[in-house]
Amino acid sequence: MKKKVSNILICVLAIVAIGCGIMAAGTIGGWFGGDEAATEEIAKTQVSEEAAGGHHDAEPGEEAEEHAVVKDEKNTGGSNGTCTITIKCSSVLKNMDKLSSGKAKYVPSNGIILSTSTIEFKEGENVYDILKRACSAAGIPMSARSSSMGIYVEGINGLFEFDCGGTSGWMYSVNGNTPNHSCSEHTVKNGDSIVWYYTCGK
């Protein structure tokens, strides 16, 4: 009788152990798999490689002139305000030794990919909306992906994250301050000055 009870207990424990193992495996797979599945490319403007490296808006030492206002063609109700946007990769010029092979052609000689441009926007639009509109108007390729934290900009003008070191990539500032959240979570206000800049890290 004791032997039979022992065998039953062993079987029960084995079943519980197997069940726990399946649950643990499902949790790990769901975490990584779910995150990967949620990540998708959401924006990519296609231009030729020659065009991607051709945005030399000003000669070195010269101040870039402000571009004409970029209108929101989809907004038939009129503009709610304007902001400015600048895109630069000046830090790469100081770290050319770190730059990945074949990427030098995407770096303008003065580090300015898009000189200061004025963009019209409507209420509720965010920093990512402004970047997307500005890049589209100027023919600058831009790639981004969505994640649980919002939209992450991977590359602009052929320069992508990790192209100039292990901690390199694109960041943005608004009125001189660097927000600690996604560009898709930062609502634009009238008169805002947005700067996208490539950092090579430390």
Side-chain angles (χ1 to χ4, degrees), residues 131-142:
L131 173 66
K132 187 166 59 173
R133 187 174 304 137
C135 286
S136 178
I140 300 172
M142 186 272 292

Side-chain angles (χ1 to χ4, degrees), residues 4 7 17 30 33 48 51 53 60-61 63 68 83 93 111-112 115 129 131-132 141 147 159-160 164 177 187:
K4 188 177 289 187
N7 288 337
S48 66
E63 184 175 348
C83 63
L93 297 175
I112 305 297
S115 57
D129 294 323
L131 173 66
K132 187 166 59 173
S147 71
L159 284 176
F160 284 75
C164 197
N177 300 311
T187 303

Side-chain angles (χ1 to χ4, degrees), residues 39-44 85 87 113 126-132 135 140-147 149-162 168-172 181-185 194-199:
T39 300
E40 58 177 315
E41 190 172 343
I42 58 167
K44 185 175 286 183
I85 182 172
I87 306 173
I113 293 173
N126 55 57
V127 170
Y128 177 68
D129 294 323
I130 302 303
L131 173 66
K132 187 166 59 173
C135 286
I140 300 172
M142 186 272 292
S143 180
R145 68 175 185 264
S146 62
S147 71
M149 297 179 69
I151 293 173
Y152 175 74
V153 175
E154 298 175 301
I156 301 174
N157 199 51
L159 284 176
F160 284 75
E161 55 181 337
F162 312 133
S168 63
W170 287 98
M171 297 183 70
Y172 74 98
H181 48 254
S182 167
C183 57
S184 62
E185 301 300 313
I194 303 166
V195 177
W196 280 90
Y197 59 98
Y198 193 90
T199 176

Side-chain angles (χ1 to χ4, degrees), residues 24-136:
T27 302
I28 294 173
W31 178 262
F32 291 102
D35 186 65
E36 184 177 349
T39 300
E40 58 177 315
E41 190 172 343
I42 58 167
K44 185 175 286 183
T45 305
Q46 297 292 341
V47 297
S48 66
E49 288 189 352
E50 289 77 12
H55 301 283
H56 300 265
D57 297 293
E59 293 299 320
E62 293 182 351
E63 184 175 348
E65 296 182 358
E66 187 168 321
H67 286 186
V69 176
V70 176
K71 296 181 178 294
D72 179 8
E73 301 297 340
K74 295 181 180 179
N75 181 17
T76 56
S79 170
N80 291 118
T82 61
C83 63
T84 62
I85 182 172
T86 307
I87 306 173
K88 58 184 181 179
C89 57
S90 308
S91 63
V92 178
L93 297 175
K94 302 175 183 179
N95 293 276
M96 294 298 286
D97 56 317
K98 297 180 182 178
L99 193 61
S100 299
S101 176
K103 290 291 183 174
K105 60 186 176 184
Y106 299 125
V107 182
S109 60
N110 64 348
I112 305 297
I113 293 173
L114 179 70
S115 57
T116 303
S117 302
T118 300
I119 309 289
E120 287 186 349
F121 67 90
K122 56 182 179 289
E123 186 178 357
E125 289 197 293
N126 55 57
V127 170
Y128 177 68
D129 294 323
I130 302 303
L131 173 66
K132 187 166 59 173
R133 187 174 304 137
C135 286
S136 178

